[in-house]
Amino acid sequence: MKLDLILREAEIITLEADRPRATSVGVLAGRIAGFDEELEGCTAEREVSLGGATVVPGFIDAHCHTTWWGLGLGAVELEQARGLEELYALLEAEVRRLEDQPGAWVNGTGFNHKHHGGAFPDIRRLDEITGDRPLYLRHVSGHLSITNSATLRLAGVFESGFADPTGGAVLRGADGYPTGVVEESAQQLIQNLLLPYPVERIVEALDAATTRYAAEGITSFTEAGIGGGWIGHSPVEVQAYLTAKRAGKLHARAQLMPALDSLRPIEANAADMHGTGSGRGLDLGVVAGFGDEWVSLGPVKVFMDGSLLGATAAVTEDYCGHQHNTGYLLDSPEAYRERVDAAYRAGWPIALHAIGDAAIDLATEIIIGCQERYGRNHLPNRIEHFGIARPDQLAPVAAAGIAVAPQAAFIGPLGDQFAALVGPEREGWLYRGRSLVEAGILVAGSSDLPVADNNVLRAMQSWVDRRTEQGKILGGAAEGLTAEEALRTYTDWAAQATGTADQKGTLRRGKLADFAVLSGSPLEADDISDLEVLATIVGGEFSFVRLDSGAAASSAPESLFAPEPDAAVVR
Ligand SMILES: [Zn+2]
């Protein structure tokens, strides 16, 4: 039999109990045709020797913001600025660059006040730099932004009768003038000036972003909010994914979570929607699972609270150094109960963004209530982030089969800030690892890109060592996962959490031929983050091949890693 592709001389980690290891894998029509002895007598269009490189299931990023990141790839990167003077200098340079584009926005990403001693830019200084040009700088948390007076004027903030929207705030200084900081849902005021983005622009963002995903070994991702709210970019966002797919510009498989705001009241026969005849959904009754292997719909994304970094995540006890601040829910509990119930009974699994333990309480209660009334959905219900969870919160989540999507990649760059905000008594509750696994909770690996980067190998190492930038072991070494568990969070468990385990997450005959080729085994590496992604394969096609060989690639055969792709073909 002639296959499309055979990978040989590989150390294949399948994560399947009945065949945990193999050295060759065959691919036909985008799916795994077999391993080792099953390939006897088979030839292939293309046979590639991997020279002992490790093959694992393609990585699945269970929660990220691809379009947001992709659009930001053209914005000023503020991450490197240390001290506000450096930040102002970057903005001055951008204003000069935009000289012949009157009215063009100054956009920036990656702002984190910790790089400026906790300080935020001074709006008067920003106004001096930008003049009448609107300015929009995104905080790394996504939960607040920095603006100038021109932006706030466009947004109507200076008009009489202006009031902060529900679940957000335009912060003001002692003199009553805005500081330029807009929190949470108030960011929608600015988004409204930009939205909706043209589909073509989103397509380009997806192309740029997923090309980079491929370089990280990522073959699938879940987009955590499209279509509505301050996280959506267009009410017709699905079209951008389909267009990108047809044009060969989507380099990883996408599962899309509609934002709750993009659903609307729908009515059907009185017997439908669990005998209520009504709920919240999309036209034509399209629900989660609709689509194909490349673009499909996932759960509904619901924002319940803010971020730890902004001390806006809803916690039960005050943040340290913030008297009488326990963060806040973005809407009333009653509103969440009613709207989530309506979406759930219309057929939607739910992904509730809950970072603080108070938000997790409400999220757990809502999901359990929906499951009791209407049964389990065909996709798991999820709690996104699960940032600070009390010990008593784990058992109910496990018993209800709720999957969680925390971010190991936060531990390094943000762990010290988190620990300072919640104090030593609660530090062990932060971005838990082992205690979740031991409680029986399904843990899906995810980046929350662009809040953290999407270097999967580094995130897996963080799951194992939990080391912060300042050398703290967040929550103690006992919270660390084993290397195999860390690998499963980004493969097997992420597939289960996204309801796609029948298609991916482990390597077995009939599943999608999605692989990451690594310079060594993550199960044996001293430091997983020292490994390199050598190649990425989606549906049997290479989406990435590392050409800048270096030490890792030189141990691999020249055939695959030579600059000319044709040379990789071994017939
Ligand atoms: Zn997110």
Side-chain angles (χ1 to χ4, degrees), residues 193-378:
L193 302 170
L194 300 165
L195 294 170
Y197 284 92
V199 164
E200 207 43 53
R201 178 110 194 268
I202 300 174
V203 170
E204 295 312 317
L206 292 173
D207 187 13
T210 58
T211 297
R212 289 163 172 84
Y213 286 12
E216 304 290 352
I218 294 168
T219 54
S220 291
F221 65 96
T222 296
E223 184 77 353
I226 64 159
W230 56 265
I231 208 75
H233 293 92
S234 164
V236 293
E237 222 162 331
V238 172
Q239 279 184 21
Y241 284 84
L242 296 175
T243 305
K245 175 190 139 193
R246 275 196 304 274
K249 292 180 172 179
L250 190 62
H251 310 288
R253 305 179 193 276
Q255 182 186 59
L256 312 175
M257 288 187 185
L260 182 63
D261 296 348
S262 65
L263 271 48
R264 61 181 190 79
I266 49 168
E267 285 183 28
N269 187 285
D272 296 329
M273 294 180 244
H274 297 272
T276 64
S278 71
R280 291 184 90 87
L282 299 180
D283 287 341
L284 305 178
V286 165
V287 288
F290 188 80
D292 64 12
E293 294 139 16
W294 277 94
V295 179
S296 66
L297 294 177
V300 165
K301 173 73 185 293
V302 184
F303 278 99
M304 296 189 68
D305 68 346
S307 72
L308 276 176
L309 224 49
T312 52
V315 290
T316 46
E317 277 176 52
D318 283 354
Y319 288 103
C320 299
H322 295 68
Q323 262 194 351
H324 309 302
N325 177 18
T326 53
Y328 51 89
L329 293 172
L330 302 181
D331 209 336
S332 71
E334 296 67 37
Y336 284 121
R337 287 189 191 103
E338 190 227 298
R339 296 176 74 200
V340 171
D341 186 284
Y344 194 85
R345 69 177 187 258
W348 290 97
I350 305 297
L352 294 161
H353 165 119
I355 291 182
D357 59 331
I360 291 171
D361 278 335
L362 181 61
T364 307
E365 174 217 298
I366 289 177
I367 292 173
I368 289 173
C370 285
Q371 292 185 171
E372 281 174 1
R373 285 188 292 280
Y374 311 121
R376 297 262 177 109
N377 198 294
H378 65 288

Side-chain angles (χ1 to χ4, degrees), residues 127-139:
D127 289 347
E128 265 170 45
I129 294 169
T130 56
D132 287 338
R133 214 180 264 287
L135 168 111
Y136 185 31
L137 311 179
R138 303 282 210 117
H139 191 271

Side-chain angles (χ1 to χ4, degrees), residues 66-75 197 201-202 205 233:
T66 313
T67 300
W68 171 10
W69 189 57
L71 289 168
L73 289 172
Y197 284 92
R201 178 110 194 268
I202 300 174
H233 293 92

Side-chain angles (χ1 to χ4, degrees), residues 4 36 59 83 176 219 236 256 263 282 372 420 427 435 444 474-475 510 514 525 548 553:
D4 296 327
D36 296 350
F59 297 142
T219 54
V236 293
L256 312 175
L263 271 48
L282 299 180
E372 281 174 1
E427 187 195 309
S435 55
L474 194 72
D514 295 356
D548 53 307

Side-chain angles (χ1 to χ4, degrees), residues 63-65 68 143 224 231 301 303 353 384-385 407 448-449 451:
H63 176 132
C64 56
H65 303 279
W68 171 10
H143 291 268
I231 208 75
K301 173 73 185 293
F303 278 99
H353 165 119
E384 307 304 298
H385 310 300
Q407 286 71 36
D448 204 18
L449 181 80
V451 182

